Amino acid sequence: MKLKFNTIIQLTLVVSLGLHACQEKKENSGKLLEEFDNPLNVAFGDPYILDDGNGKFYMYGTGAGAKDGFVVYASEDLKNWEKKGQVFYGNTVDSWSVANFWAPEVYKFDDRYYMFYSADWRVNPENDLENFKIGVAVANAPTGPFVDMKNEPLFDPGYPIIDANVYKDDDGKFYLYYSRACYKHPVDSEIADWAKSKGLFEEIEESWVYGVELNPDFSGVIGEPVLLLRPPVKMDDKQAEWESRSVTSGEVNRRWTEGSFTFKYDDKYYIMYSANHFGGEHYAVGYATGSSPLGPFEKAGNNPVIEKNTSQGGEVTGTGHNSVLFSSDRKEMYAVYHGRTQKTGHERLVFIDRMTIDETGKLEVHGPTTSQR
């Protein structure tokens, strides 16, 4: 079945970084998109798109042939993408990072480009298998080269962290959102008790999403991180079924809450997040809402809003780690995420699907869709 979006947008699509006050000052650059063909021919995980404000877009993500770093793709229509090469290199003599370069997001401030990314920290006295931290690199162009602002992570909360996302509120304050990794983080819950009673797993590790105020010069954080999202403790929680599928299916002894993306819409703060194993079929996206950048956030009753469609006759699985695109008037919005199809197998490719928020604040993503090529 062939599914296409036929959309003529008179306003430049821009990435919703929560920087709408700045974005509204951008000049419109005309038509950008007439249709989507999913999946895009971009083999990325954790996709993130930057609008450079001049009719050009740049996509960053995990993989796509990058060696100890990240590559970038460029486009003028959000449909056809050209690989521009590697823009950041870690694991050098002078770098703090040594391996597992994941989930880059690039933001433009004052004509400079800042890349927030995850990687394993060279300083590892306990020889941990997962020693993830978040770094910040800067460049004078979206195609790099990006250079670390300092030879150490942004900060060290005392546990491994991944999936940085940055939001600037109306008052000019910056906030960093990240996920505490599952590693060495077993959590008591009814799901964990159930899994042990069934002989599936002795313990269940979890990842949790935190938020913290960010120094405006990106040199560090202000105050202590706040726990924002975690998997349900009770089995009768309405979120428990979909957020626990990797455990209940016997796939892996972990429950993830990761890949968060925060934005503001009609005076309400939305935080989207992914749950389940990023390498499996059950990876899916939900969201929560709150009245401030650091919550508290309440998960939505219509979660998940992006998930596999194979039970409905589709071919897409492993959908997750999304970002959001907005038109400059914020009337059009799209979810950008990765997924897999029966044809692509284990390889993650990028999808773009229409996203809406109705008058009640209910968020929906109208996908996953696919197009025959």
Side-chain angles (χ1 to χ4, degrees):
M1 181 172 65
K2 189 172 185 179
L3 298 174
K4 290 189 176 180
F5 292 135
N6 294 299
T7 253
I8 300 178
I9 300 175
Q10 303 297 327
L11 297 169
T12 302
L13 284 176
V14 296
V15 176
S16 171
L17 309 178
L19 308 179
H20 53 278
C22 297
Q23 291 167 340
E24 289 172 354
K25 297 178 182 179
K26 291 184 178 180
E27 297 295 328
N28 299 333
S29 57
K31 300 177 184 178
L32 292 177
L33 188 64
E34 293 185 354
E35 62 182 24
F36 293 131
D37 281 328
N38 281 327
L40 301 180
N41 190 27
V42 179
F44 263 160
D46 317 323
Y48 185 89
I49 297 176
L50 168 74
D51 170 29
D52 200 24
N54 56 5
K56 294 183 179 180
F57 298 85
Y58 297 89
M59 186 187 297
Y60 309 84
T62 302
K67 173 64 175 176
D68 292 332
F70 306 105
V71 301
V72 66
Y73 285 76
S75 176
E76 296 183 359
D77 60 7
L78 296 174
K79 178 181 176 182
N80 300 291
W81 293 87
E82 179 184 358
K83 191 174 184 179
K84 292 295 186 179
Q86 189 153 338
V87 297
F88 174 79
Y89 291 86
N91 194 23
T92 66
V93 174
D94 299 324
S95 66
W96 67 266
S97 54
V98 293
N100 294 318
F101 294 84
W102 294 344
E105 294 192 357
V106 174
Y107 307 88
K108 184 178 182 180
F109 302 109
D110 299 326
D111 294 322
R112 300 200 80 190
Y113 300 83
Y114 296 86
M115 174 185 284
F116 289 74
Y117 68 94
S118 310
D120 274 318
W121 191 11
R122 185 183 302 276
V123 177
N124 191 2
E126 301 298 323
N127 198 29
D128 285 319
L129 295 177
E130 298 182 18
N131 193 38
F132 312 123
K133 295 295 180 289
I134 289 167
V136 187
V138 63
N140 292 321
T143 53
F146 285 86
V147 178
D148 279 317
M149 291 182 62
K150 57 182 181 179
N151 189 24
E152 62 182 356
L154 177 63
F155 77 116
D156 179 13
Y159 46 81
I161 58 176
I162 58 174
D163 295 350
N165 174 244
V166 173
Y167 169 77
K168 185 180 181 182
D169 205 7
D170 299 336
D171 60 6
K173 292 183 178 180
F174 289 88
Y175 295 89
L176 172 73
Y177 302 86
Y178 65 87
S179 178
R180 173 178 182 164
C182 293
Y183 183 66
K184 291 185 177 180
H185 192 219
V187 177
D188 292 331
S189 69
E190 290 184 358
I191 300 295
D193 292 341
W194 174 88
K196 187 173 183 178
S197 72
K198 295 295 183 180
L200 291 175
F201 308 107
E202 285 298 308
E203 63 181 20
I204 304 298
E205 297 176 314
E206 294 184 358
S207 63
W208 297 353
V209 168
Y210 288 78
V212 65
E213 189 175 346
L214 186 63
N215 280 334
D217 62 359
F218 307 144
S219 61
V221 299
I222 300 171
E224 294 298 319
V226 178
L227 174 61
L228 303 179
L229 298 170
R230 57 176 293 184
V233 174
K234 301 290 186 179
M235 291 189 74
D236 62 358
D237 188 306
K238 60 186 177 182
Q239 310 291 335
E241 186 279 325
W242 79 271
E243 291 194 29
S244 306
R245 290 172 183 169
S246 289
V247 171
T248 56
S249 66
E251 183 178 39
V252 69
N253 71 324
R254 286 183 168 184
R255 292 200 296 170
W256 281 266
T257 309
E258 64 174 19
S260 64
F261 185 92
T262 298
F263 63 94
K264 190 177 183 181
Y265 188 87
D266 282 350
D267 296 324
K268 184 181 292 187
Y269 296 87
Y270 288 76
I271 182 168
M272 302 182 76
Y273 65 97
S274 295
N276 295 299
H277 181 29
F278 67 90
E281 65 175 314
H282 303 293
Y283 207 43
V285 176
Y287 75 98
T289 58
S291 58
S292 78
L294 294 179
F297 287 97
E298 181 179 356
K299 294 179 181 179
N302 63 315
N303 286 339
V305 293
I306 311 174
E307 62 179 322
K308 65 178 183 178
N309 62 9
T310 49
S311 62
Q312 291 80 43
E315 59 173 338
V316 183
T317 64
T319 55
H321 200 125
N322 77 292
S323 55
V324 181
L325 290 172
F326 278 85
S327 62
S328 57
D329 65 356
R330 301 179 67 79
K331 292 182 178 180
E332 298 285 336
M333 62 191 82
Y334 300 87
V336 182
Y337 59 97
H338 71 244
R340 300 176 176 88
T341 69
Q342 294 173 351
K343 182 178 179 180
T344 61
H346 188 69
E347 185 173 51
R348 294 180 292 182
L349 296 178
V350 178
F351 290 71
I352 302 179
D353 277 311
R354 183 181 299 277
M355 190 176 94
T356 58
I357 299 176
D358 68 15
E359 62 278 1
T360 69
K362 180 181 178 181
L363 182 156
E364 293 183 284
V365 177
H366 304 280
T369 64
T370 55
S371 300
Q372 295 177 353
R373 296 187 182 277

